[in-house]
Amino acid sequence: MNAPNTLLNQSFAIAADHGGFGLKQHLLDYLKSKNISNFIDLGTDSDKSVHFPDYAGKMVETIKSGKAQWGILICGTGLGMSIAANRHAGIYAALCHDTTTARLARQHNNANILAMGGRILGPTVAEDIVETFLHTAFLGDRYQDRIGMIDPGC
């Protein structure tokens, strides 16, 4: 059952640079194995060097256009992607290294982008982080007030 404010059944996008390509490919296989297919793969399509801001920009554009409601960004550390994405109003990219940060990013910050480090996380931990992010609801109330202080109008 889809709990209020969780990301279940909402369309999403996934993107990575060369540093996150391997983990992205693993997660695509994992999602497909779980019969999750409501996503758009924004690339990259190889481990050839690319610029992470290009892929963060594609993600932001995809979310802001309504083609996806949330996303997963992966670079070597997750830092570059999260910084680039967070420069845009209404985008809340959370760099998560474990299930606790993923849960709190959703509960307290209503994060709409999960950022991860392909050179930092193993595949099983990344799967657990995605599952936690996907299934955790935003708590709202005082947390919504705090988001409004960061990003008035959202």
Side-chain angles (χ1 to χ4, degrees):
M1 183 170 173
N2 187 5
N5 300 318
T6 67
L7 302 174
L8 289 168
N9 302 318
Q10 292 185 23
S11 63
F12 66 101
I14 185 168
D17 71 357
H18 57 281
F21 173 73
L23 184 57
K24 180 186 78 116
Q25 293 306 110
H26 174 83
L27 289 174
L28 289 175
D29 290 340
Y30 174 76
L31 293 166
K32 290 173 187 173
S33 78
K34 294 287 194 176
N35 294 318
I36 297 172
S37 60
N38 56 324
F39 62 85
I40 303 164
D41 182 355
L42 300 174
T44 189
D45 298 322
S46 76
D47 60 3
K48 181 182 173 207
S49 184
V50 294
H51 302 295
F52 71 84
D54 292 337
Y55 292 90
K58 287 180 183 184
M59 178 66 70
V60 169
E61 181 181 315
T62 300
I63 291 172
K64 288 194 169 246
S65 72
K67 293 177 186 169
Q69 282 69 57
W70 66 281
I72 300 171
L73 285 172
I74 310 166
C75 65
T77 63
L79 289 165
M81 288 289 204
S82 62
I83 291 167
N86 278 321
R87 296 185 54 83
H88 302 272
I91 297 297
Y92 308 103
L95 174 58
C96 297
H97 294 299
D98 54 40
T99 57
T100 300
T101 53
R103 179 177 49 80
L104 293 172
R106 287 289 304 135
Q107 286 179 334
H108 295 190
N109 305 114
N110 201 19
N112 56 4
I113 295 178
L114 169 61
M116 294 187 288
R119 296 178 179 147
I120 306 298
L121 300 173
T124 303
V125 172
E127 291 169 7
D128 292 344
I129 291 169
V130 169
E131 288 286 342
T132 300
F133 197 83
L134 181 63
H135 290 88
T136 302
F138 176 51
L139 295 176
D141 296 323
R142 71 177 187 257
Y143 301 106
Q144 182 61 51
D145 294 341
R146 293 172 183 163
I147 290 171
M149 294 170 72
I150 296 167
D151 198 354
C154 288

PDB file of all heavy atoms in Angstrom, residues 55-85:
ATOM      1  N   TYR A  55      24.674  16.039 -15.779  1.00  0.00           N
ATOM      2  CA  TYR A  55      23.689  15.028 -15.387  1.00  0.00           C
ATOM      3  C   TYR A  55      22.822  15.510 -14.230  1.00  0.00           C
ATOM      4  O   TYR A  55      21.625  15.204 -14.176  1.00  0.00           O
ATOM      5  CB  TYR A  55      24.395  13.694 -15.102  1.00  0.00           C
ATOM      6  CG  TYR A  55      24.928  13.148 -16.399  1.00  0.00           C
ATOM      7  CD1 TYR A  55      26.201  13.481 -16.834  1.00  0.00           C
ATOM      8  CD2 TYR A  55      24.109  12.401 -17.229  1.00  0.00           C
ATOM      9  CE1 TYR A  55      26.671  13.047 -18.063  1.00  0.00           C
ATOM     10  CE2 TYR A  55      24.564  11.956 -18.459  1.00  0.00           C
ATOM     11  CZ  TYR A  55      25.839  12.289 -18.876  1.00  0.00           C
ATOM     12  OH  TYR A  55      26.275  11.864 -20.099  1.00  0.00           O
ATOM     13  N   ALA A  56      23.388  16.291 -13.332  1.00  0.00           N
ATOM     14  CA  ALA A  56      22.565  16.913 -12.290  1.00  0.00           C
ATOM     15  C   ALA A  56      21.557  17.856 -12.936  1.00  0.00           C
ATOM     16  O   ALA A  56      20.389  17.898 -12.541  1.00  0.00           O
ATOM     17  CB  ALA A  56      23.446  17.661 -11.289  1.00  0.00           C
ATOM     18  N   GLY A  57      21.990  18.603 -13.957  1.00  0.00           N
ATOM     19  CA  GLY A  57      21.095  19.507 -14.681  1.00  0.00           C
ATOM     20  C   GLY A  57      19.966  18.768 -15.380  1.00  0.00           C
ATOM     21  O   GLY A  57      18.815  19.215 -15.363  1.00  0.00           O
ATOM     22  N   LYS A  58      20.281  17.635 -15.996  1.00  0.00           N
ATOM     23  CA  LYS A  58      19.238  16.821 -16.631  1.00  0.00           C
ATOM     24  C   LYS A  58      18.212  16.363 -15.604  1.00  0.00           C
ATOM     25  O   LYS A  58      17.013  16.340 -15.876  1.00  0.00           O
ATOM     26  CB  LYS A  58      19.849  15.592 -17.319  1.00  0.00           C
ATOM     27  CG  LYS A  58      20.605  15.877 -18.578  1.00  0.00           C
ATOM     28  CD  LYS A  58      21.148  14.573 -19.165  1.00  0.00           C
ATOM     29  CE  LYS A  58      21.981  14.829 -20.400  1.00  0.00           C
ATOM     30  NZ  LYS A  58      22.437  13.560 -21.014  1.00  0.00           N
ATOM     31  N   MET A  59      18.708  15.980 -14.423  1.00  0.00           N
ATOM     32  CA  MET A  59      17.801  15.527 -13.364  1.00  0.00           C
ATOM     33  C   MET A  59      16.885  16.659 -12.923  1.00  0.00           C
ATOM     34  O   MET A  59      15.671  16.473 -12.813  1.00  0.00           O
ATOM     35  CB  MET A  59      18.611  15.018 -12.170  1.00  0.00           C
ATOM     36  CG  MET A  59      17.753  14.576 -10.995  1.00  0.00           C
ATOM     37  SD  MET A  59      16.745  13.130 -11.352  1.00  0.00           S
ATOM     38  CE  MET A  59      18.030  11.877 -11.446  1.00  0.00           C
ATOM     39  N   VAL A  60      17.452  17.815 -12.652  1.00  0.00           N
ATOM     40  CA  VAL A  60      16.647  18.956 -12.210  1.00  0.00           C
ATOM     41  C   VAL A  60      15.598  19.294 -13.259  1.00  0.00           C
ATOM     42  O   VAL A  60      14.417  19.490 -12.931  1.00  0.00           O
ATOM     43  CB  VAL A  60      17.555  20.172 -11.904  1.00  0.00           C
ATOM     44  CG1 VAL A  60      16.730  21.433 -11.712  1.00  0.00           C
ATOM     45  CG2 VAL A  60      18.420  19.893 -10.677  1.00  0.00           C
ATOM     46  N   GLU A  61      15.985  19.345 -14.516  1.00  0.00           N
ATOM     47  CA  GLU A  61      15.051  19.642 -15.601  1.00  0.00           C
ATOM     48  C   GLU A  61      13.931  18.605 -15.669  1.00  0.00           C
ATOM     49  O   GLU A  61      12.757  18.951 -15.852  1.00  0.00           O
ATOM     50  CB  GLU A  61      15.814  19.675 -16.924  1.00  0.00           C
ATOM     51  CG  GLU A  61      14.950  19.990 -18.125  1.00  0.00           C
ATOM     52  CD  GLU A  61      15.764  19.984 -19.415  1.00  0.00           C
ATOM     53  OE1 GLU A  61      16.865  20.562 -19.434  1.00  0.00           O
ATOM     54  OE2 GLU A  61      15.273  19.386 -20.390  1.00  0.00           O
ATOM     55  N   THR A  62      14.267  17.353 -15.483  1.00  0.00           N
ATOM     56  CA  THR A  62      13.280  16.273 -15.543  1.00  0.00           C
ATOM     57  C   THR A  62      12.273  16.386 -14.409  1.00  0.00           C
ATOM     58  O   THR A  62      11.065  16.200 -14.613  1.00  0.00           O
ATOM     59  CB  THR A  62      13.988  14.906 -15.526  1.00  0.00           C
ATOM     60  OG1 THR A  62      14.866  14.829 -16.663  1.00  0.00           O
ATOM     61  CG2 THR A  62      13.010  13.764 -15.576  1.00  0.00           C
ATOM     62  N   ILE A  63      12.744  16.728 -13.224  1.00  0.00           N
ATOM     63  CA  ILE A  63      11.835  16.884 -12.079  1.00  0.00           C
ATOM     64  C   ILE A  63      10.996  18.146 -12.228  1.00  0.00           C
ATOM     65  O   ILE A  63       9.778  18.124 -12.052  1.00  0.00           O
ATOM     66  CB  ILE A  63      12.615  16.874 -10.750  1.00  0.00           C
ATOM     67  CG1 ILE A  63      13.176  15.463 -10.499  1.00  0.00           C
ATOM     68  CG2 ILE A  63      11.734  17.335  -9.590  1.00  0.00           C
ATOM     69  CD1 ILE A  63      14.109  15.357  -9.323  1.00  0.00           C
ATOM     70  N   LYS A  64      11.618  19.242 -12.564  1.00  0.00           N
ATOM     71  CA  LYS A  64      10.875  20.507 -12.690  1.00  0.00           C
ATOM     72  C   LYS A  64       9.843  20.459 -13.811  1.00  0.00           C
ATOM     73  O   LYS A  64       8.807  21.118 -13.719  1.00  0.00           O
ATOM     74  CB  LYS A  64      11.838  21.668 -12.858  1.00  0.00           C
ATOM     75  CG  LYS A  64      12.570  21.989 -11.564  1.00  0.00           C
ATOM     76  CD  LYS A  64      13.248  23.324 -11.641  1.00  0.00           C
ATOM     77  CE  LYS A  64      13.721  23.715 -10.275  1.00  0.00           C
ATOM     78  NZ  LYS A  64      13.040  24.864  -9.745  1.00  0.00           N
ATOM     79  N   SER A  65      10.090  19.680 -14.860  1.00  0.00           N
ATOM     80  CA  SER A  65       9.129  19.562 -15.958  1.00  0.00           C
ATOM     81  C   SER A  65       7.973  18.626 -15.625  1.00  0.00           C
ATOM     82  O   SER A  65       6.998  18.564 -16.362  1.00  0.00           O
ATOM     83  CB  SER A  65       9.832  19.055 -17.219  1.00  0.00           C
ATOM     84  OG  SER A  65      10.162  17.686 -17.090  1.00  0.00           O
ATOM     85  N   GLY A  66       8.105  17.870 -14.528  1.00  0.00           N
ATOM     86  CA  GLY A  66       7.060  16.935 -14.136  1.00  0.00           C
ATOM     87  C   GLY A  66       7.183  15.559 -14.772  1.00  0.00           C
ATOM     88  O   GLY A  66       6.343  14.688 -14.540  1.00  0.00           O
ATOM     89  N   LYS A  67       8.226  15.347 -15.557  1.00  0.00           N
ATOM     90  CA  LYS A  67       8.425  14.022 -16.160  1.00  0.00           C
ATOM     91  C   LYS A  67       8.783  12.979 -15.107  1.00  0.00           C
ATOM     92  O   LYS A  67       8.588  11.790 -15.316  1.00  0.00           O
ATOM     93  CB  LYS A  67       9.512  14.080 -17.228  1.00  0.00           C
ATOM     94  CG  LYS A  67       9.127  14.902 -18.435  1.00  0.00           C
ATOM     95  CD  LYS A  67      10.273  14.995 -19.426  1.00  0.00           C
ATOM     96  CE  LYS A  67       9.920  15.945 -20.555  1.00  0.00           C
ATOM     97  NZ  LYS A  67      11.087  16.254 -21.386  1.00  0.00           N
ATOM     98  N   ALA A  68       9.332  13.439 -13.997  1.00  0.00           N
ATOM     99  CA  ALA A  68       9.640  12.582 -12.850  1.00  0.00           C
ATOM    100  C   ALA A  68       9.358  13.386 -11.591  1.00  0.00           C
ATOM    101  O   ALA A  68       9.480  14.610 -11.594  1.00  0.00           O
ATOM    102  CB  ALA A  68      11.088  12.121 -12.887  1.00  0.00           C
ATOM    103  N   GLN A  69       8.980  12.697 -10.524  1.00  0.00           N
ATOM    104  CA  GLN A  69       8.712  13.377  -9.261  1.00  0.00           C
ATOM    105  C   GLN A  69       9.917  13.391  -8.335  1.00  0.00           C
ATOM    106  O   GLN A  69       9.998  14.211  -7.438  1.00  0.00           O
ATOM    107  CB  GLN A  69       7.525  12.717  -8.540  1.00  0.00           C
ATOM    108  CG  GLN A  69       6.180  13.123  -9.112  1.00  0.00           C
ATOM    109  CD  GLN A  69       5.958  12.566 -10.510  1.00  0.00           C
ATOM    110  OE1 GLN A  69       6.005  11.366 -10.722  1.00  0.00           O
ATOM    111  NE2 GLN A  69       5.728  13.445 -11.464  1.00  0.00           N
ATOM    112  N   TRP A  70      10.835  12.476  -8.539  1.00  0.00           N
ATOM    113  CA  TRP A  70      12.022  12.399  -7.685  1.00  0.00           C
ATOM    114  C   TRP A  70      13.141  11.728  -8.472  1.00  0.00           C
ATOM    115  O   TRP A  70      12.925  11.311  -9.602  1.00  0.00           O
ATOM    116  CB  TRP A  70      11.723  11.677  -6.380  1.00  0.00           C
ATOM    117  CG  TRP A  70      11.390  10.217  -6.502  1.00  0.00           C
ATOM    118  CD1 TRP A  70      10.195   9.678  -6.883  1.00  0.00           C
ATOM    119  CD2 TRP A  70      12.257   9.119  -6.246  1.00  0.00           C
ATOM    120  NE1 TRP A  70      10.269   8.312  -6.876  1.00  0.00           N
ATOM    121  CE2 TRP A  70      11.523   7.934  -6.482  1.00  0.00           C
ATOM    122  CE3 TRP A  70      13.582   9.013  -5.832  1.00  0.00           C
ATOM    123  CZ2 TRP A  70      12.067   6.666  -6.322  1.00  0.00           C
ATOM    124  CZ3 TRP A  70      14.123   7.743  -5.669  1.00  0.00           C
ATOM    125  CH2 TRP A  70      13.365   6.585  -5.901  1.00  0.00           C
ATOM    126  N   GLY A  71      14.337  11.655  -7.869  1.00  0.00           N
ATOM    127  CA  GLY A  71      15.445  11.091  -8.610  1.00  0.00           C
ATOM    128  C   GLY A  71      16.559  10.525  -7.756  1.00  0.00           C
ATOM    129  O   GLY A  71      16.606  10.733  -6.542  1.00  0.00           O
ATOM    130  N   ILE A  72      17.444   9.813  -8.439  1.00  0.00           N
ATOM    131  CA  ILE A  72      18.659   9.263  -7.849  1.00  0.00           C
ATOM    132  C   ILE A  72      19.831   9.768  -8.689  1.00  0.00           C
ATOM    133  O   ILE A  72      19.839   9.591  -9.911  1.00  0.00           O
ATOM    134  CB  ILE A  72      18.651   7.718  -7.865  1.00  0.00           C
ATOM    135  CG1 ILE A  72      17.463   7.163  -7.072  1.00  0.00           C
ATOM    136  CG2 ILE A  72      19.977   7.173  -7.323  1.00  0.00           C
ATOM    137  CD1 ILE A  72      17.257   5.653  -7.230  1.00  0.00           C
ATOM    138  N   LEU A  73      20.785  10.416  -8.036  1.00  0.00           N
ATOM    139  CA  LEU A  73      21.999  10.905  -8.688  1.00  0.00           C
ATOM    140  C   LEU A  73      23.209  10.211  -8.079  1.00  0.00           C
ATOM    141  O   LEU A  73      23.314  10.125  -6.846  1.00  0.00           O
ATOM    142  CB  LEU A  73      22.146  12.417  -8.498  1.00  0.00           C
ATOM    143  CG  LEU A  73      21.254  13.320  -9.315  1.00  0.00           C
ATOM    144  CD1 LEU A  73      21.396  14.774  -8.855  1.00  0.00           C
ATOM    145  CD2 LEU A  73      21.583  13.197 -10.803  1.00  0.00           C
ATOM    146  N   ILE A  74      24.121   9.764  -8.933  1.00  0.00           N
ATOM    147  CA  ILE A  74      25.302   9.054  -8.443  1.00  0.00           C
ATOM    148  C   ILE A  74      26.540   9.594  -9.145  1.00  0.00           C
ATOM    149  O   ILE A  74      26.590   9.640 -10.373  1.00  0.00           O
ATOM    150  CB  ILE A  74      25.193   7.537  -8.696  1.00  0.00           C
ATOM    151  CG1 ILE A  74      23.852   6.990  -8.197  1.00  0.00           C
ATOM    152  CG2 ILE A  74      26.354   6.802  -8.024  1.00  0.00           C
ATOM    153  CD1 ILE A  74      23.533   5.597  -8.701  1.00  0.00           C
ATOM    154  N   CYS A  75      27.506  10.022  -8.373  1.00  0.00           N
ATOM    155  CA  CYS A  75      28.831  10.350  -8.899  1.00  0.00           C
ATOM    156  C   CYS A  75      29.831   9.609  -8.025  1.00  0.00           C
ATOM    157  O   CYS A  75      29.443   8.741  -7.242  1.00  0.00           O
ATOM    158  CB  CYS A  75      29.076  11.865  -8.947  1.00  0.00           C
ATOM    159  SG  CYS A  75      29.131  12.722  -7.369  1.00  0.00           S
ATOM    160  N   GLY A  76      31.097   9.916  -8.132  1.00  0.00           N
ATOM    161  CA  GLY A  76      32.103   9.195  -7.360  1.00  0.00           C
ATOM    162  C   GLY A  76      31.849   9.236  -5.864  1.00  0.00           C
ATOM    163  O   GLY A  76      31.869   8.215  -5.189  1.00  0.00           O
ATOM    164  N   THR A  77      31.604  10.432  -5.341  1.00  0.00           N
ATOM    165  CA  THR A  77      31.356  10.587  -3.902  1.00  0.00           C
ATOM    166  C   THR A  77      29.909  10.938  -3.580  1.00  0.00           C
ATOM    167  O   THR A  77      29.490  10.837  -2.433  1.00  0.00           O
ATOM    168  CB  THR A  77      32.234  11.708  -3.313  1.00  0.00           C
ATOM    169  OG1 THR A  77      31.865  12.947  -3.941  1.00  0.00           O
ATOM    170  CG2 THR A  77      33.710  11.416  -3.495  1.00  0.00           C
ATOM    171  N   GLY A  78      29.167  11.419  -4.550  1.00  0.00           N
ATOM    172  CA  GLY A  78      27.818  11.932  -4.326  1.00  0.00           C
ATOM    173  C   GLY A  78      27.816  13.414  -4.001  1.00  0.00           C
ATOM    174  O   GLY A  78      26.789  14.073  -4.092  1.00  0.00           O
ATOM    175  N   LEU A  79      28.973  13.954  -3.644  1.00  0.00           N
ATOM    176  CA  LEU A  79      29.070  15.358  -3.252  1.00  0.00           C
ATOM    177  C   LEU A  79      28.794  16.303  -4.415  1.00  0.00           C
ATOM    178  O   LEU A  79      27.998  17.235  -4.291  1.00  0.00           O
ATOM    179  CB  LEU A  79      30.448  15.655  -2.658  1.00  0.00           C
ATOM    180  CG  LEU A  79      30.717  15.050  -1.290  1.00  0.00           C
ATOM    181  CD1 LEU A  79      32.205  15.090  -0.981  1.00  0.00           C
ATOM    182  CD2 LEU A  79      29.916  15.777  -0.237  1.00  0.00           C
ATOM    183  N   GLY A  80      29.473  16.098  -5.526  1.00  0.00           N
ATOM    184  CA  GLY A  80      29.306  16.991  -6.670  1.00  0.00           C
ATOM    185  C   GLY A  80      27.876  17.028  -7.163  1.00  0.00           C
ATOM    186  O   GLY A  80      27.328  18.109  -7.428  1.00  0.00           O
ATOM    187  N   MET A  81      27.263  15.871  -7.291  1.00  0.00           N
ATOM    188  CA  MET A  81      25.871  15.810  -7.754  1.00  0.00           C
ATOM    189  C   MET A  81      24.939  16.539  -6.789  1.00  0.00           C
ATOM    190  O   MET A  81      24.066  17.292  -7.221  1.00  0.00           O
ATOM    191  CB  MET A  81      25.413  14.357  -7.911  1.00  0.00           C
ATOM    192  CG  MET A  81      26.026  13.636  -9.080  1.00  0.00           C
ATOM    193  SD  MET A  81      25.387  14.243 -10.649  1.00  0.00           S
ATOM    194  CE  MET A  81      25.695  12.795 -11.667  1.00  0.00           C
ATOM    195  N   SER A  82      25.126  16.320  -5.494  1.00  0.00           N
ATOM    196  CA  SER A  82      24.228  16.962  -4.531  1.00  0.00           C
ATOM    197  C   SER A  82      24.411  18.482  -4.535  1.00  0.00           C
ATOM    198  O   SER A  82      23.424  19.225  -4.476  1.00  0.00           O
ATOM    199  CB  SER A  82      24.407  16.387  -3.123  1.00  0.00           C
ATOM    200  OG  SER A  82      25.699  16.610  -2.623  1.00  0.00           O
ATOM    201  N   ILE A  83      25.634  18.945  -4.648  1.00  0.00           N
ATOM    202  CA  ILE A  83      25.885  20.388  -4.690  1.00  0.00           C
ATOM    203  C   ILE A  83      25.260  20.996  -5.940  1.00  0.00           C
ATOM    204  O   ILE A  83      24.566  22.015  -5.873  1.00  0.00           O
ATOM    205  CB  ILE A  83      27.399  20.687  -4.626  1.00  0.00           C
ATOM    206  CG1 ILE A  83      27.948  20.341  -3.234  1.00  0.00           C
ATOM    207  CG2 ILE A  83      27.691  22.142  -4.986  1.00  0.00           C
ATOM    208  CD1 ILE A  83      29.463  20.307  -3.159  1.00  0.00           C
ATOM    209  N   ALA A  84      25.499  20.382  -7.082  1.00  0.00           N
ATOM    210  CA  ALA A  84      24.971  20.913  -8.343  1.00  0.00           C
ATOM    211  C   ALA A  84      23.444  20.930  -8.354  1.00  0.00           C
ATOM    212  O   ALA A  84      22.825  21.908  -8.784  1.00  0.00           O
ATOM    213  CB  ALA A  84      25.501  20.096  -9.521  1.00  0.00           C
ATOM    214  N   ALA A  85      22.820  19.875  -7.879  1.00  0.00           N
ATOM    215  CA  ALA A  85      21.356  19.808  -7.885  1.00  0.00           C
ATOM    216  C   ALA A  85      20.748  20.805  -6.903  1.00  0.00           C
ATOM    217  O   ALA A  85      19.735  21.449  -7.213  1.00  0.00           O
ATOM    218  CB  ALA A  85      20.894  18.391  -7.556  1.00  0.00           C
TER     219      ALA A  85
END
